[in-house]
């Protein structure tokens, strides 16, 4: 032991990549357990920026086993590009392992995701258009193509043929979109993306490239856990985007909550010792859907600007708002968060007073301290705020709890008390060293087991 899960406690982009990178120093295995290249995890090391979409955020430690678990959906085109990009930068990717059971994002999944968004005439869900939803849908329909299918051309061809067949109606609809896209010059490889032979040929090439990395990734986790090693389960997306527990249908198509680490990596609940929930000191959301604490004003703009709130994957500006403690309490319980990481505290300096949302008030008068199960309430509710004193200082250089201004510490205390979980780590800048371990030095994960 131990097994430690890292999850997003809000709407994504909380800084999970940076936290995984920090903790991976003490890990034997880092494994992604859900999502795909809709994720964008950023690590800033010595002023150099790395953005990972599929490869686990532990890859910067040479030789460390970094696994893409069975619960992830893999676009092999993106994965091979990511591998090549890292190699060009001198990063050792020999520790990369890919589950043979993970599902593959196929060219038609990307088309269906794009057309699905276009068809509505507006970006209703605002997906990343990476084919995530259609790929998970095929997985559930038992029409998915798995990594291991790349190793057998006959099987691959059979399965791709079977997967393409029931999409006739959707493909007809795609024709309309194709004409629109053609005018804009974005439909060059459209035919190839629907051509059985071209697909099989392209994917067999990926199979040859990826074969040395294909493995039984669950077994790698068991072996590490059974010899008292440390396994980090790296979550993508976040609690409020969870297919079952988030603000459906404005969610992703996987389960980013901690419980899904078991399914998506192939371990049992008793293999998990700790769950770290990562939250920003404020809130952001990319794409559509309810966001009770959203700010459409100067403060919101300031958070976006100072926090560099632009989507890592799609480049869309992120919506910004105040810290939502109702949602954070929900995330703490749902994930059984044992420790909180609060990132981007530095972004709040110079804003006074600070606000945290402590409950929701429905226009008809009801007050909700707990996250309401009825989606309509979340859409209509107004946030009830508690005001807290702000701080002026630039805290980018803080390294110990005592370096933080009193007001910043009080702000953190209010969050921890409300969420019912201790804050272990605070982010004061994008750099790897720009963190404050609360009350102590960095933990010794092995000793904690
Ligand atoms: P992830 O998807 O959860 O890994 O987060 P992203 O990488 O998409 O977005 C987080 C952004 O915030 C990245 O650009 C990080 O470099 C940056 N970041 C992380 N922690 C901090 C912090 O404490 N302060 C500041 N200012 N930026 C941070
Ligand atoms: P990381 O791991 C923030 C959002 C999309 C959209 C919704 C569904 O970097 O935190 P999808 O393409 O998954 O079907 O889109 O989910 N979304 C994210 N938002 N961070 C992410 O990942 C996200 N991955 C998906 O913007 O609203
Ligand atoms: Mg991100």
């Amino acid at each position: 032991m131990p097994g430690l899960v890292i999850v997003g406690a809000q709407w994504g982009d909380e800084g999970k990549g940076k936290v995984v990178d920090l903790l991976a120093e003490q890990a034997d295995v880092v494994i992604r357990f859900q999502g795909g290249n809709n994720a964008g995890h950023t690590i800033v090391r010595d002023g150099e920026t790395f953005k990972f979409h599929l490869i686990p955020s532990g890859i910067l430690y040479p030789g460390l086993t970094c696994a893409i678990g069975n619960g992830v959906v893999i676009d092999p085109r993106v994965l091979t590009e990511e591998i090549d990009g890292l190699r060009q930068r001198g990063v050792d990717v020999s520790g990369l392992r890919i589950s043979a059971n993970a599902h593959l994002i196929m060219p038609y999944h990307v088309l269906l995701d794009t057309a699905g968004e276009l068809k509505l005439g507006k970006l209703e869900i605002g997906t990343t258009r990476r084919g995530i939803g259609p790929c998970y849908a095929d997985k559930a329909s038992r029409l998915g193509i798995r990594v291991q299918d790349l190793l057998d051309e006959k099987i691959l061809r059979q399965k791709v043929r079977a997967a393409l067949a029931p999409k006739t109606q959707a493909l007809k609809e795609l024709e309309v979109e194709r004409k629109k896209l053609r005018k804009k010059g974005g439909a060059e490889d459209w035919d190839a993306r629907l051509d059985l032979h071209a697909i099989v040929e392209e994917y067999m090439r990926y199979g040859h490239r990826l074969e040395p990395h294909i493995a039984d990734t669950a077994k790698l986790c068991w072996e590490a856990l059974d010899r008292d090693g440390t396994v980090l389960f790296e979550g993508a997306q976040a609690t409020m985007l969870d297919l079952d527990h988030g603000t459906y249908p404005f969610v992703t198509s996987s389960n980013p909550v901690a419980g899904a680490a078991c399914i998506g990596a192939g371990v049992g609940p008793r293999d998990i010792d700790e769950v770290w929930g990562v939250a920003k000191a404020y809130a952001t959301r990319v794409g559509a859907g309810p966001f009770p604490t959203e700010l459409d004003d100067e403060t919101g703009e300031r958070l976006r600007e100072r926090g560099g709130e632009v989507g890592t994957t799609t480049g869309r500006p992120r919506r910004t708002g105040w810290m939502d403690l109702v949602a954070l309490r929900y995330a703490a319980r749902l994930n059984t968060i044992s420790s909180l990481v609060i990132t981007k505290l530095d972004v709040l300096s110079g804003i006074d007073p600070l606000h945290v949302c402590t409950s929701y008030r429905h226009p008809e008068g009801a007050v909700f301290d707990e996250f309401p199960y009825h989606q309509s309430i979340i859409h209509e509710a107004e946030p009830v705020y508690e005001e807290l004193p702000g701080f002026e200082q630039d805290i980018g250089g803080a390294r110990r709890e005592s370096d933080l201004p009193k007001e910043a510490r009080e702000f953190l205390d209010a969050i921890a008390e409300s969420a019912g979980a201790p804050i272990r780590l605070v982010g004061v800048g994008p750099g790897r060293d720009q963190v404050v371990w609360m009350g102590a030095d960095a933990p010794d994960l092995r000793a904690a087991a």
Side-chain angles (χ1 to χ4, degrees), residues 205 238 240 255 264 283 437:
R205 278 202 302 276
M240 306 309 287
N255 292 109
W437 288 100

Side-chain angles (χ1 to χ4, degrees), residues 30-70:
V30 179
I31 183 163
R32 276 269 314 262
F33 58 88
Q34 46 68 233
N37 59 309
N38 46 351
H41 295 178
T42 315
I43 297 173
V44 182
R45 273 204 188 191
D46 305 322
E48 209 185 332
T49 302
F50 295 87
K51 291 180 194 291
F52 300 115
H53 299 291
L54 278 164
I55 295 182
S57 302
I59 200 73
L60 298 182
Y61 297 91
L64 176 63
T65 301
C66 284
I68 301 180
N70 56 276

